Amino acid sequence: MATLPTSAHSNLATQSKFISSFIYSNTIRRNSRRFFISTSCSSRARRQLCVKTVATDQKDAATQTQEGSLATFPPDSASLASIIKYHAEFTPSFSIESFGLPKAFYATAESVRDMLIMNWNETYEYYEKLNVKQAYYLSMEFLQGRALLNAVGNLELSGAYTEALKKLGHNLEDVATQEPDAALGNGGLGRLASCFLDSLATQNYPAWGYGLRYKYGLFKQHITKDGQEEVAENWLEMGNPWEIPRNDVSYPVKFYGEVVSGPDGNKQWIGGENVMAVAYDVPIPGYKTKTTINLRLWSTKVAPEEFDLHAFNTGDHAKAYAAIKNAEKICYILYPGDESVEGKSLRLKQQYTLCSASLQDIIARFERRSREPVKWEEFPEKVAVQMNDTHPTLCIPELIRILMDVKGLSWKEAWDITRRTVAYTNHTVLPEALEKWSLQLIQELLPRHVEIIKLIDEELIHTIIAEYGTEDLDLLVQKLREMRILDNIELPDSVLEILSKSEESSAVDHIEEVDKEAKATDEEAQSEGLDSEKKKEVTFEPDPKLPKMVRMANLCVAGGHAVNGVAEIHSEIVKNEVFNDFYMLWPEKFQNKTNGVTPRRWIRFCNPDLSKIITKWTGTEDWVKDTEILVTLGKFADNEDLQSEWREAKRRNKIKVASFLKEKTGYLVNPDAMFDVQVKRIHEYKRQLLNILGIVNRYKKMKEMSPDERKARFVPRVCIFGGKAFATYVQAKRIVKFITDVGATVNNDQEIGDLLKVVFVPDYNVSVAEVLIPGSELSQHISTAGMEASGTSNMKFAMNGCIQIGTLDGANVEIRQEVGEDNFFLFGAHAHEIAGLRNERAQGKFVADPRFEEVKAYVRSGVFGPYNYDELMGSLEGNEGYGRADYFLVGKDFPSYLECQDKVDEAYRDQKRWTKMSILNTAGSYKFSSDRTIHEYARDIWRIEPVVLP
């Protein structure tokens, strides 16, 4: 193990000079001097120089600050080494005996955090001073990945830190691998949120993120002979060097209790269970800017007085700890299983904790910045709240509750402010995203919020009646069934009164009509009677057989001023299918904001070899912030020099991937084979099952051929999978098991050798993606058309020159447009065909391709081991029924998929053509920077402006 070059037992005065040199230099920097004080100076000399410099500069510091001309010069490697040494001794998480990689990481991260805090403080103070409008991004997930390399890269200190750690006996890349991924997210939803924070800081937009500080995250995935196994994530075991506990920032969050009316008629929520949400701040640095914004994470606890000391002393320890554990468990797990009532209750507690603590914090900051008296009508002019999917929906009734019950505003005022403040991003059309909660559960947990939701529902019903009238009751019933927030719940009294008056009016009109047509024939009279019977059948009564639910997505649409989809095709589905009735009522609310990814993390830092080539051929490094410059690459796509450099960079990345796979799985793969990758959350609609069945077909055909025929027919491939199946999603876990079983058989088949390998990478996360994506050559985005809202991994792959095979779904549509149809492998049914194809299946008209039937039989033959795959294969059979009938159309798209894979092989054999396609994918990825996405949010939804620090 390495040891610190200086004695680990040197005294505090000697060691403190390492950190004080940096602090003094920062003081001078903030007063416009353009140098860094050498650590060889004595503390006394530094102090004298600092005082002299500050005194000299006081005359013109204000002028220079106004002009924004303060220059900043980063510390040199010797100074950074000194600061790292200081933290290794004085802010240790490890014993003092050695300076191994883990300790080196924490000391290095803490040294970086020093600089981030300085920039964070300046950013925060400047925003407070200007009282700018801020956006607040609320998300249950922030999938950040490792922060060290990203932070030093954004601060432009990669070279200095590399040299500093060399002086201390370590390599920066090795030190960075010691950092665990922050377990705050699962998939694209959380990664998008983190990309957005990077872009917000880089573009100098005033914004904060709000989330929860999960102790164990989702889970750590182990792959065993039985498939996926879940164990608790340990990312906080050694502490998180990036977070700053704010023990002075905490807010009460209440559950249960009852609502009472005060003497003045105002409502009060009393009693129940109380927990405290405590803030932990994570600084988020921008690229080549001092702007450093904040991700504020909430952790839950109870006040010490809630600890039952008497029960503990009498031996009833469980009772004494009950309140503490009840509060702490709220932030234990991301997405706790909700099969049980307890699980549902815990998940709802999580969502409300995020909303309540965040809004209390936002309102406190608004009040602090405002002049007395507070003008609440200006709240939407200073605050924009973005709900990332339906998880933060309770922001809407919570904001109204605080404004009415705590701040004393009227319903009308609170409702108006809320609608102008809150906006909603829809991420998918799947039921789990369009959340529904039991009214009974919310009533028990959040009784005041149910009252407010009922008011919002009543307001919405009146709006619907005003739009459609009461003449056509069938139409009205249809609209209310689709649009109401409260599902299968009786109508409010105010609405029943309107309908009652409408029925009385209709009866009078009917009598007058009968008088006018007294001479009508008996047949006509009978027809009239039938029509009357139909009218009597129209009912607004709830069905006692069905549950009473609260539809959170409908609440989002009704309670906010903007609704956006995340890809062009998805936004059209949102308008024309998912929320069509709302779109017809409020077309101005609906927008598209195609997702994006940060080019800093997803190419500049994770793929330095390719980045250098891009900089060389575009003539500038500005593409890292202005990705439209990438289009320039298209002009050189046929250039043999560029192609040669491009292929060499890709091969170096493939060698890294091969080494990584050997370390993580034990499998040896050939870096000269095509690397074919599908990494994302395991879900039936994402169709990893289609991919692995295609591989099974490939393997089966290989086994039927001679060695020479195989080599002539098939391009060598390494097929790589990665992703987590939710712990209670049985079918997804079967798919993981199936993939690993296929891999175990294929990879040990000596006849096939390097011609085909199948590898499942365990515990897929951001850091794994940063290794796999640069080395990938073909990436699979093969969801059933119309079911993937956007996708972001497809953008990362394209940005790194990886060619894609996919359906016309989500952002695939726009990627194909930008990279060129000839540079994208397209297959499968289109979104507008899906409903008809499912109906065809239900009617028993679907005829499967013979190859599909052969593959299923091959799987059932036991060639991939003794596991019984009848349930998995059975889900692809039949015409209807839960878990059957191939709802995601694997069988329908199977022949198209196989034929498209043949085209992939053909293209890969021509390496010049393939390299050109790769270059054009990177050139065409310019549109998919999260910088562009954030600019559109800021301009169209939040209406905030960049604020550049002086």
Side-chain angles (χ1 to χ4, degrees):
M1 279 197 176
T3 57
L4 285 170
T6 57
S7 169
H9 302 286
S10 53
N11 60 58
L12 176 61
T14 303
Q15 283 294 329
S16 66
K17 73 178 182 181
F18 298 135
I19 189 66
S20 64
S21 67
F22 175 73
I23 295 172
Y24 280 126
S25 74
N26 187 66
T27 303
I28 295 171
R29 174 180 63 77
R30 291 175 67 175
N31 288 278
S32 83
R33 283 304 186 198
R34 302 184 176 185
F35 54 84
F36 192 89
I37 302 173
S38 170
T39 56
S40 63
C41 296
S42 68
S43 297
R44 182 177 180 183
R46 285 198 302 274
R47 285 196 296 271
Q48 289 175 342
L49 181 57
C50 181
V51 171
K52 182 178 179 181
T53 303
V54 172
T56 303
D57 288 343
Q58 280 179 340
K59 300 176 183 178
D60 58 355
T63 303
Q64 293 193 4
T65 300
Q66 290 175 354
E67 295 173 355
S69 61
L70 283 176
T72 61
F73 277 73
D76 59 25
S77 60
S79 304
L80 290 177
S82 297
I83 301 167
I84 293 170
K85 288 159 65 179
Y86 170 84
H87 281 293
E89 181 160 357
F90 291 100
T91 54
S93 298
F94 299 84
S95 59
I96 64 173
E97 285 80 9
S98 64
F99 188 62
L101 283 173
K103 187 171 186 177
F105 160 68
Y106 279 88
T108 303
E110 285 156 350
S111 74
V112 176
R113 191 184 69 173
D114 289 340
M115 285 174 276
L116 296 185
I117 290 175
M118 292 173 188
N119 286 345
W120 188 96
N121 286 338
E122 286 192 49
T123 304
Y124 179 86
E125 291 166 6
Y126 198 59
Y127 291 170
E128 290 284 302
K129 178 182 176 182
L130 296 183
N131 191 18
V132 294
K133 181 176 183 180
Q134 281 195 219
Y136 299 96
Y137 197 81
L138 271 64
S139 178
M140 288 291 284
E141 296 186 45
F142 285 93
L143 194 58
Q144 294 177 285
R146 292 170 176 160
L148 179 58
L149 292 182
N150 191 74
V152 299
N154 278 1
L155 291 169
E156 300 181 88
L157 292 174
S158 299
Y161 267 100
T162 298
E163 292 300 316
L165 285 166
K166 279 183 181 178
K167 296 177 190 295
L168 300 175
H170 286 302
N171 177 278
L172 175 59
E173 284 70 26
D174 292 338
V175 169
T177 62
Q178 300 300 303
E179 180 177 2
D181 277 38
L184 299 172
N186 177 31
L189 181 85
R191 185 52 234 171
L192 178 78
S194 292
C195 282
F196 277 6
L197 293 185
D198 177 271
S199 287
L200 283 163
T202 296
Q203 296 189 96
N204 301 297
Y205 281 114
W208 276 23
Y210 281 104
L212 295 181
R213 182 181 179 267
Y214 303 107
K215 185 174 182 179
Y216 301 114
L218 187 69
F219 56 81
K220 184 181 286 291
Q221 181 194 52
H222 289 172
I223 300 299
T224 70
K225 62 181 179 61
D226 298 316
Q228 171 181 295
E229 291 187 3
E230 306 89 21
V231 297
E233 180 64 75
N234 61 349
W235 75 287
L236 285 175
E237 185 177 19
M238 299 304 298
N240 179 9
W242 303 108
E243 69 184 13
I244 308 160
R246 305 291 193 189
N247 293 315
D248 60 327
V249 180
S250 64
Y251 298 97
V253 179
K254 181 185 290 294
F255 304 104
Y256 307 108
E258 61 179 334
V259 181
V260 298
S261 296
D264 55 0
N266 289 339
K267 297 295 183 73
Q268 294 182 8
W269 185 14
I270 61 172
E273 174 186 301
N274 296 284
V275 303
M276 297 300 295
V278 182
Y280 287 75
D281 287 347
V282 180
I284 307 295
Y287 178 69
K288 291 189 176 183
T289 175
K290 285 200 309 185
T291 298
T292 301
I293 63 172
N294 193 37
L295 170 59
R296 177 157 284 181
L297 303 172
W298 300 108
S299 186
T300 44
K301 67 175 187 178
V302 293
E305 56 266 24
E306 297 290 333
F307 179 71
D308 193 336
L309 187 61
H310 176 74
F312 188 85
N313 286 331
T314 57
D316 193 350
H317 300 162
K319 180 181 177 183
Y321 278 122
I324 295 174
K325 293 302 180 185
N326 217 28
E328 289 179 349
K329 73 179 181 180
I330 292 173
C331 292
Y332 273 178
I333 301 292
L334 168 66
Y335 301 145
D338 59 357
E339 300 297 313
S340 64
V341 174
E342 291 79 7
K344 288 181 173 66
S345 177
L346 181 57
R347 204 180 270 206
L348 191 60
K349 280 185 173 182
Q350 288 184 335
Q351 295 186 2
Y352 180 61
T353 298
L354 169 64
C355 296
S356 181
S358 301
L359 282 171
Q360 289 183 71
D361 194 45
I362 291 166
I363 287 172
R365 298 178 70 229
F366 170 76
E367 289 182 303
R368 187 169 62 249
R369 291 180 179 186
S370 300
R371 296 178 179 177
E372 293 291 344
V374 176
K375 297 180 180 178
W376 289 105
E377 67 275 10
E378 294 180 357
F379 188 78
E381 307 306 320
K382 295 296 181 181
V383 170
V385 174
Q386 188 71 36
M387 301 182 296
N388 192 28
D389 218 348
T390 51
H391 307 130
T393 304
L394 289 169
C395 279
I396 294 169
E398 175 67 0
L399 180 54
I400 293 173
R401 181 193 72 82
I402 295 173
L403 293 176
M404 290 178 65
D405 299 358
V406 181
K407 305 304 176 183
L409 274 64
S410 68
W411 154 255
K412 183 178 179 181
E413 291 170 324
W415 175 232
D416 177 67
I417 289 169
T418 300
R419 283 189 302 170
R420 292 192 292 128
T421 301
V422 176
Y424 161 54
T425 298
N426 173 276
H427 279 280
T428 179
V429 300
L430 294 179
E432 54 259 42
L434 299 177
E435 288 181 297
K436 291 184 179 182
W437 286 99
S438 161
L439 178 67
Q440 180 180 350
L441 176 60
I442 300 182
Q443 177 70 59
E444 180 182 356
L445 202 65
L446 305 168
R448 178 59 176 137
H449 295 76
V450 168
E451 294 183 347
I452 294 170
I453 291 170
K454 286 181 177 179
L455 288 174
I456 298 171
D457 184 60
E458 184 174 354
E459 191 82 24
L460 176 61
I461 294 171
H462 282 289
T463 302
I464 294 169
I465 291 175
E467 178 71 17
Y468 295 103
T470 58
E471 292 78 14
D472 188 340
L473 292 183
D474 287 310
L475 175 64
L476 186 57
V477 167
Q478 175 195 340
K479 295 298 180 184
L480 292 179
R481 283 177 179 166
E482 293 295 325
M483 301 175 71
R484 281 193 68 185
I485 297 162
L486 299 176
D487 184 24
N488 197 43
I489 295 170
E490 55 277 349
L491 291 170
D493 290 341
S494 63
V495 176
L496 290 174
E497 185 178 347
I498 292 173
L499 293 176
S500 175
K501 291 179 180 178
S502 174
E503 288 178 0
E504 291 174 5
S505 175
S506 297
V508 172
D509 292 342
H510 177 65
I511 292 171
E512 292 176 351
E513 190 69 24
V514 170
D515 289 339
K516 290 180 182 178
E517 300 182 5
K519 297 180 180 180
T521 62
D522 291 342
E523 291 81 3
E524 290 172 332
Q526 186 177 4
S527 176
E528 180 79 16
L530 289 173
D531 288 343
S532 297
E533 287 299 318
K534 286 183 179 180
K535 287 183 179 180
K536 291 177 183 177
E537 290 174 5
V538 175
T539 177
F540 294 89
E541 293 297 318
D543 186 341
K545 299 178 182 178
L546 297 176
K548 298 182 177 182
M549 307 295 288
V550 180
R551 296 189 281 203
M552 308 305 270
N554 288 20
L555 178 54
C556 286
V557 178
H561 67 90
V563 179
N564 71 276
V566 290
E568 288 177 0
I569 185 174
H570 172 242
S571 294
E572 289 304 306
I573 292 171
V574 165
K575 291 191 295 186
N576 298 326
E577 297 178 29
V578 182
F579 297 125
N580 180 252
D581 290 313
F582 287 103
Y583 174 65
M584 299 300 291
L585 184 61
W586 295 309
E588 70 283 355
K589 279 191 181 187
F590 289 80
Q591 303 181 21
N592 174 62
K593 295 287 173 280
T594 298
N595 284 343
V597 300
T598 166
R600 270 75 62 187
R601 181 180 288 271
W602 291 113
I603 182 167
R604 175 63 182 83
F605 301 146
C606 77
N607 198 345
D609 288 342
L610 195 64
S611 296
K612 290 174 185 175
I613 295 171
I614 294 171
T615 297
K616 172 184 173 181
W617 286 84
T618 61
T620 178
E621 200 178 38
D622 290 348
W623 62 269
V624 181
K625 290 182 70 172
D626 182 6
T627 52
E628 287 196 15
I629 295 171
L630 293 175
V631 177
T632 308
L633 288 171
K635 298 188 299 184
F636 308 109
D638 288 309
N639 185 287
E640 291 185 4
D641 292 336
L642 173 57
Q643 288 204 1
S644 176
E645 293 175 21
W646 200 272
R647 280 193 294 270
E648 182 57 32
K650 179 64 73 173
R651 194 174 193 281
R652 285 196 294 270
N653 286 325
K654 290 174 69 179
I655 290 172
K656 292 178 184 176
V657 172
S659 175
F660 176 82
L661 295 179
K662 177 65 171 65
E663 177 189 349
K664 295 297 182 183
T665 70
Y667 288 128
L668 285 169
V669 301
N670 180 9
D672 292 321
M674 180 202 300
F675 280 18
D676 171 353
V677 180
Q678 187 179 19
V679 284
K680 53 186 70 202
R681 181 166 52 96
I682 308 296
H683 198 291
E684 288 173 277
Y685 90 85
K686 292 179 182 290
R687 299 203 295 190
Q688 286 91 351
L689 187 54
L690 173 60
N691 185 352
I692 192 63
L693 288 176
I695 293 169
V696 169
N697 179 78
R698 191 180 187 90
Y699 177 67
K700 179 176 178 292
K701 295 301 181 187
M702 285 180 177
K703 295 292 286 182
E704 294 168 353
M705 295 177 179
S706 68
D708 290 339
E709 288 175 327
R710 288 183 205 125
K711 289 182 181 179
R713 174 73 174 79
F714 295 106
V715 164
R717 285 207 202 191
V718 177
C719 301
I720 303 170
F721 291 83
K724 296 179 180 179
F726 191 65
T728 58
Y729 190 174
V730 175
Q731 193 75 322
K733 295 178 79 170
R734 286 189 183 122
I735 293 170
V736 173
K737 168 67 174 165
F738 182 37
I739 293 169
T740 57
D741 279 353
V742 171
T745 299
V746 172
N747 299 343
N748 292 294
D749 190 329
Q750 295 183 359
E751 281 187 9
I752 302 303
D754 285 341
L755 203 54
L756 181 63
K757 297 291 184 185
V758 180
V759 183
F760 192 99
V761 182
D763 207 38
Y764 178 69
N765 57 22
V766 174
S767 297
V768 175
E770 289 172 333
V771 176
L772 294 182
I773 290 174
S776 301
E777 294 174 289
L778 180 75
S779 64
Q780 305 221 19
H781 305 276
I782 57 178
S783 53
T784 310
M787 302 204 73
E788 183 73 84
S790 173
T792 53
S793 64
N794 47 7
M795 301 170 183
K796 298 162 196 167
F797 281 103
M799 202 170 274
N800 283 271
C802 183
I803 301 157
Q804 301 187 41
I805 179 171
T807 54
L808 280 180
D809 196 28
N812 285 1
V813 178
E814 294 161 77
I815 290 174
R816 182 169 176 262
Q817 290 170 353
E818 298 301 332
V819 306
E821 295 180 5
D822 293 339
N823 305 305
F824 185 105
F825 294 104
L826 177 68
F827 77 95
H830 294 192
H832 68 272
E833 300 172 320
I834 300 303
L837 291 171
R838 286 180 178 144
N839 186 54
E840 177 186 81
R841 184 72 180 243
Q843 294 175 9
K845 296 179 180 179
F846 172 70
V847 178
D849 185 278
R851 291 168 292 182
F852 187 59
E853 296 302 308
E854 290 171 9
V855 164
K856 289 188 294 177
Y858 193 58
V859 172
R860 283 177 162 137
S861 72
V863 69
F864 300 113
Y867 186 85
N868 188 335
Y869 281 108
D870 282 346
E871 288 290 338
L872 185 59
M873 296 299 105
S875 71
L876 305 173
E877 298 169 343
N879 298 325
E880 56 186 353
Y882 180 76
R884 296 180 63 81
D886 193 14
Y887 183 79
F888 301 100
L889 303 179
V890 172
K892 176 64 182 178
D893 282 348
F894 191 70
S896 175
Y897 179 69
L898 296 184
E899 289 152 15
C900 196
Q901 288 285 14
D902 289 340
K903 295 177 182 177
V904 171
D905 278 2
E906 179 186 353
Y908 194 77
R909 287 190 180 94
D910 184 349
Q911 279 294 293
K912 184 174 181 179
R913 175 191 170 193
W914 188 271
T915 306
K916 178 179 179 179
M917 294 170 72
S918 175
I919 295 169
L920 291 173
N921 265 266
T922 298
S925 69
Y926 75 95
K927 177 181 176 182
F928 304 104
S929 165
S930 52
D931 294 351
R932 182 266 313 156
T933 312
I934 280 298
H935 174 69
E936 292 179 2
Y937 272 95
R939 179 193 64 202
D940 302 333
I941 298 179
W942 305 332
R943 293 179 172 82
I944 60 174
E945 298 290 337
V947 178
V948 181
L949 273 67

